[in-house]
Amino acid sequence: MMKLYPKETSSIQKQPKKETIQFLINFSKSLRIVETKSKDFIELNLN
Amino acid sequence: MVRNNKISDSILVSDYIGGKEASLSILINRHKQRLYSFIYSKIQDKDLTEDVFQDTFIKVIRTLKKGNYNEEGKFLPWVMRIAHNLVIDYFRKNNRMPSFKNTDEFDIFSVLHDGSLNAENKIIQEQIYNDVRELINELPEEQKEVLVMRLYKDMSFKEISENTGVSINTALGRMRYSLINMRKLIEKHNIILVN
C-alpha cells in the first residue's frame, strides 16, 4: 500500500550539529566574567 | 556515560559554576535533543533552530558565569523558557522585517532603511534604557527585586516566590505595583519612552 505520509523524522536527526555543541563548549571555555566595583559585569573573551 | 546520567542537573550546574567546564558538555548533551525538538516544533526550520539553540545556550552560559542562576534542580525548565523567549523574539523580529519581493518594482531602500537603528535612534534608545533603569531604581526594594527577576532574569513567579520567600500572589502583586508605580513616575516626570 502506498504511504501517503513520509516516515516520521527520526528523533536522532532532531538534534543540533556537533559543530554547534563544540562551539558552545569553546565559547564557554573562552568566556570570563569579571564583576566590577560598581557591580557591573565585564565579559572577557579569551581566544 | 552511565556515571554522567547519575549526576543531577543541579550538581552539574553547581560544578560548572565552580569552574568545571566538562559539566557544561554533559548538560548540553543530556538536554540537546529535547531542547532542539522544542525549538524546531515552533520554528520548523533547521538552520534557524540551530541558531536559536546556540543563542539559548550562550545565554545560559553567560547567566551561569555571572552567578545569576538561582534555580537549583530546575535547569531544563529554565533553559526551555529561555529558548521559548528567543523563539518569541524571532517571530517578533520576523514580523517587523519588510517583505522581500524579487520583482522589477522592488525598491532596495524599502529593505535597507528598516534593518538597523540609525545613530540618532541608537542614542534615543540608549536614553530610554537609562530612563527605565532610573525608574526601576526609584521603586521600593521589594518591587524592584520582583521586577528585575521577572524581566531581566526570565524567572517565573513561582521561582520568584521561592527565591524571595513570599507567596506567588504577593510576587504577582509586587510586580503589578511596580508597573503601576513606574507608570506614575513616567507621568510625573513627563518621560517619553518611545523611539
Side-chain angles (χ1 to χ4, degrees):
Chain A
M1 193 176 169
M2 194 181 80
K3 283 187 179 175
L4 291 176
Y5 300 99
K7 248 187 177 179
E8 217 173 274
T9 318
S10 155
S11 58
I12 296 164
Q13 288 174 295
K14 282 191 176 178
Q15 49 181 295
K17 292 175 191 163
K18 282 179 183 172
E19 298 92 306
T20 305
I21 307 285
Q22 196 53 51
F23 168 82
L24 289 166
I25 291 165
N26 293 342
F27 172 80
S28 170
K29 282 179 185 167
S30 65
L31 185 72
R32 295 281 176 279
I33 306 267
V34 179
E35 193 174 354
T36 64
K37 283 180 185 172
S38 55
K39 301 284 175 195
D40 289 321
F41 290 106
I42 299 173
E43 282 189 16
L44 302 173
N45 214 298
L46 308 171
N47 272 321
Chain B
M1 192 69 182
V2 174
R3 196 172 152 268
N4 286 343
N5 284 336
K6 284 179 183 173
I7 308 171
S8 70
D9 284 354
S10 61
I11 289 173
L12 288 168
V13 168
S14 140
D15 285 351
Y16 176 66
I17 292 169
K20 198 174 167 188
E21 288 287 336
S23 301
L24 177 75
S25 172
I26 301 171
L27 283 166
I28 294 175
N29 281 307
R30 181 177 289 177
H31 300 300
K32 64 181 178 185
Q33 196 167 312
R34 197 161 164 198
L35 183 68
Y36 188 93
S37 300
F38 168 75
I39 300 166
Y40 186 79
S41 72
K42 310 280 179 200
I43 296 184
Q44 299 286 320
D45 179 293
K46 272 189 165 186
D47 291 334
L48 286 168
T49 299
E50 202 80 24
D51 287 348
V52 173
F53 179 90
Q54 185 173 297
D55 288 347
T56 301
F57 268 103
I58 284 176
K59 197 164 183 187
V60 166
I61 290 165
R62 285 191 167 129
T63 307
L64 292 178
K65 292 215 171 194
K66 281 178 187 171
N68 287 343
Y69 178 77
N70 291 314
E71 299 173 303
E72 207 172 319
K74 294 167 195 166
F75 178 74
L76 184 61
W78 174 63
V79 176
M80 299 281 260
R81 205 164 45 252
I82 292 174
H84 176 75
N85 288 340
L86 288 173
V87 169
I88 290 171
D89 286 350
Y90 158 74
F91 281 117
R92 278 183 185 151
K93 194 177 161 191
N94 207 39
N95 286 341
R96 275 188 208 151
M97 290 288 278
S99 57
F100 182 96
K101 286 177 185 168
N102 197 15
T103 66
D104 292 340
E105 292 166 10
F106 171 68
D107 176 11
I108 188 68
F109 293 105
S110 69
V111 176
L112 287 178
H113 83 279
D114 209 14
S116 61
L117 295 173
N118 61 30
E120 187 189 348
N121 283 341
K122 274 183 187 167
I123 293 167
I124 295 170
Q125 191 180 57
E126 194 49 48
Q127 283 171 347
I128 291 170
Y129 289 156
N130 284 337
D131 287 343
V132 171
R133 274 194 287 271
E134 281 178 29
L135 286 171
I136 292 171
N137 280 331
E138 292 286 317
L139 293 173
E141 202 52 46
E142 67 274 11
Q143 290 174 22
K144 185 164 77 180
E145 184 183 34
V146 171
L147 186 130
V148 169
M149 284 181 175
R150 180 70 187 131
L151 298 185
Y152 289 87
K153 296 185 182 176
D154 294 318
M155 292 167 73
S156 69
F157 281 104
K158 187 169 180 286
E159 289 147 4
I160 293 170
S161 136
E162 286 165 2
N163 275 275
T164 54
V166 298
S167 69
I168 293 177
N169 277 341
T170 305
L172 281 163
R174 286 180 181 175
M175 182 71 195
R176 182 169 169 266
Y177 281 112
S178 70
L179 296 175
I180 290 170
N181 284 331
M182 280 181 75
R183 282 195 195 104
K184 280 182 186 167
L185 288 166
I186 288 166
E187 281 169 22
K188 184 180 166 191
H189 298 293
N190 289 321
I191 298 168
I192 298 167
L193 294 174
V194 178
N195 192 349

